[in-house]
Amino acid sequence: MKIRNSAGRWGGRVIGATFAFVALAASAHHSFAAFFDNQKSVSVQGKVTQFHFANPHGIIAIEVTNPDGTKTLWKGETNSPSMMARRGWTKESIKVGDTVTIDGWPARDNAPYVRIRELKGPDGKVIGKSSDAASEAKQ
């Protein structure tokens, strides 16, 4: 008579599923170097259409008017809100309709997407403290 150990089989499946879930969750949070080129820099100015100050990263969307008069929607990614708060940002730092200048690292795929190094408000003053590539790479 053969006795099957179904608990052992299920235990292995549960452990395997747990590892798969952890790997998927870890890959969901992308690395700075995978998406942004820290050897290049981009600066765009436009009107804020969205300011999302939430985890895992804040997002600022701005409408940029190109030299030919067409408009492009650029998105700038910040650190987490807790990191931004330590750098002097709040939910009220910028508002929809403000004209801002974003300086940062461009997306590797040339999309209108940037990791924000520094943001200047409507008055031209830097909001919060600037970031650097070394601290971004640790994110």
Side-chain angles (χ1 to χ4, degrees), residues 87-104:
R87 291 184 177 157
W89 287 62
T90 70
K91 289 181 179 182
E92 309 303 319
S93 291
I94 59 172
K95 295 175 180 39
V96 171
D98 286 351
T99 297
V100 299
T101 302
I102 296 175
D103 293 314

Side-chain angles (χ1 to χ4, degrees), residues 77-79 83-89 101-105 115-121 124-136 139:
E77 180 179 294
T78 70
N79 293 105
M83 177 69 77
M84 297 308 292
R86 287 192 289 269
R87 291 184 177 157
W89 287 62
T101 302
I102 296 175
D103 293 314
W105 300 278
R115 180 66 178 228
I116 298 172
R117 175 178 36 243
E118 181 177 87
L119 185 121
K120 294 178 184 163
K125 293 182 182 177
V126 174
I127 296 173
K129 295 178 186 171
S130 298
S131 187
D132 60 47
S135 66
E136 293 299 320
Q139 298 296 311

Side-chain angles (χ1 to χ4, degrees), residues 17-109:
T18 301
F19 280 123
F21 177 76
V22 169
L24 181 63
S27 70
H29 186 265
H30 60 265
S31 80
F32 169 83
F35 288 92
F36 303 99
D37 187 343
N38 71 349
Q39 300 301 310
K40 295 180 181 175
S41 186
V42 65
S43 181
V44 290
Q45 183 179 48
K47 191 169 286 199
V48 175
T49 62
Q50 174 191 8
F51 179 37
H52 186 70
F53 196 70
N55 284 319
H57 302 282
I59 297 290
I60 300 169
I62 64 172
E63 185 179 70
V64 175
T65 302
N66 301 310
D68 65 1
T70 61
K71 299 192 186 285
T72 301
L73 183 67
W74 277 77
K75 290 192 177 183
E77 180 179 294
T78 70
N79 293 105
S80 67
S82 61
M83 177 69 77
M84 297 308 292
R86 287 192 289 269
R87 291 184 177 157
W89 287 62
T90 70
K91 289 181 179 182
E92 309 303 319
S93 291
I94 59 172
K95 295 175 180 39
V96 171
D98 286 351
T99 297
V100 299
T101 302
I102 296 175
D103 293 314
W105 300 278
R108 289 191 178 276
D109 65 359

